[in-house]
Amino acid sequence: MRKLRKSIATIFAALAIMSLFSVNAFAATDLMKDGKMISGGFVNAGEEAEGCVKGPGNWTQLNMGDYEVNAKYLHIVMKATGATDAAQIVISDTATFNLKDLGITLTEEYQDVVLPVDQNDLAIISWVNFTGLDGGSSVYYVKDMFLSDDQASSLGTPVVGTPAVTEATSNTSENLPKTGENMIPVVILLGVVACAGIVFVVTKKSKRA
């Protein structure tokens, strides 16, 4: 019985450690939040506005502080005004994403543009350029930027490689992405930990009886 209790205790400790690692594994890495740089970068072309960075459609440039690519996807919560068919995002002068080719059409409502950075030989994110549009009539608005292994859009808008879907998205704060809050796997692990703890207590009480 003592060996059984020791084994249960070992499993309990291992699951607890796994749950801590899972919090980090499933959390997103914020580079920009509400228009504020978190990665240590700065706005090179454009300006900080209320809750976002805005800049001309022909060249809005953000320095992201040479942040290491540690996930599969770069999520950019953004919108644009004017004619947006030619919208482009160029990352680190290495990868150019034509949003139209990806089935993404920018509108005056925020959407989550999801880019597969791990498939384009990107080791770091240094400069992110928003370009391709008319600099006089079009304006880019960039709210959030984060890295994640989850391709699913945080706003329910189309993801890269899928046809565009017309879906109205609200610009209210409650509908904006909650980065780093995919907690379902963690909840499952914590449930397993709790069960192991119950078994351990019951086993201990049985021995005393």
Side-chain angles (χ1 to χ4, degrees), residues 20 23 26 33 51 83 95 115 117 119 139 153 168 188:
L20 291 177
V23 172
F26 292 100
K33 189 67 176 175
L115 305 177
V117 290
Q119 299 175 14
V139 178
S153 169
I188 294 174

Side-chain angles (χ1 to χ4, degrees), residues 76-80 87-89 99 106-107 109-113 130 140-144 155:
I76 305 175
V77 178
M78 60 183 296
K79 63 181 181 178
Q88 288 184 334
I89 298 177
L99 300 192
L106 296 177
T107 68
E109 296 287 341
Y110 279 111
Q111 62 180 283
D112 187 354
V113 174
F130 302 86
Y140 281 113
Y141 297 82
V142 184
K143 182 176 178 59
D144 299 332
L155 291 178

Side-chain angles (χ1 to χ4, degrees), residues 26-33 62 64 71-78 89 91 97 104 111-117 125 128 130 142-160 177-180:
F26 292 100
T29 303
D30 287 323
L31 305 182
M32 172 192 284
K33 189 67 176 175
L62 307 179
M64 307 311 297
K72 295 180 180 180
Y73 303 101
L74 177 65
H75 292 246
I76 305 175
V77 178
M78 60 183 296
I89 298 177
I91 301 178
F97 297 92
I104 299 172
Q111 62 180 283
D112 187 354
V113 174
V114 186
L115 305 177
V117 290
I125 297 177
V128 178
F130 302 86
V142 184
K143 182 176 178 59
D144 299 332
M145 196 179 302
F146 60 95
L147 287 161
S148 175
D149 284 327
D150 188 357
Q151 185 183 16
S153 169
S154 59
L155 291 178
T157 48
V159 297
V160 170
K178 298 178 181 179
T179 59

Side-chain angles (χ1 to χ4, degrees), residues 38-131:
I38 299 176
S39 63
F42 57 89
V43 179
N44 188 57
E47 62 180 351
E48 291 188 14
E50 185 176 354
C52 68
V53 170
K54 69 176 183 179
N58 62 329
W59 190 48
T60 297
Q61 186 179 69
L62 307 179
N63 180 301
M64 307 311 297
D66 290 338
Y67 202 94
E68 179 183 0
V69 175
N70 58 11
K72 295 180 180 180
Y73 303 101
L74 177 65
H75 292 246
I76 305 175
V77 178
M78 60 183 296
K79 63 181 181 178
T81 61
T84 63
D85 285 349
Q88 288 184 334
I89 298 177
V90 183
I91 301 178
S92 303
D93 295 327
T94 301
T96 299
F97 297 92
N98 295 302
L99 300 192
K100 184 178 180 179
D101 294 341
L102 299 174
I104 299 172
T105 301
L106 296 177
T107 68
E108 295 186 22
E109 296 287 341
Y110 279 111
Q111 62 180 283
D112 187 354
V113 174
V114 186
L115 305 177
V117 290
D118 68 326
Q119 299 175 14
N120 289 272
D121 299 323
L122 286 168
I124 61 172
I125 297 177
S126 52
W127 299 100
V128 178
N129 297 294
F130 302 86
T131 184

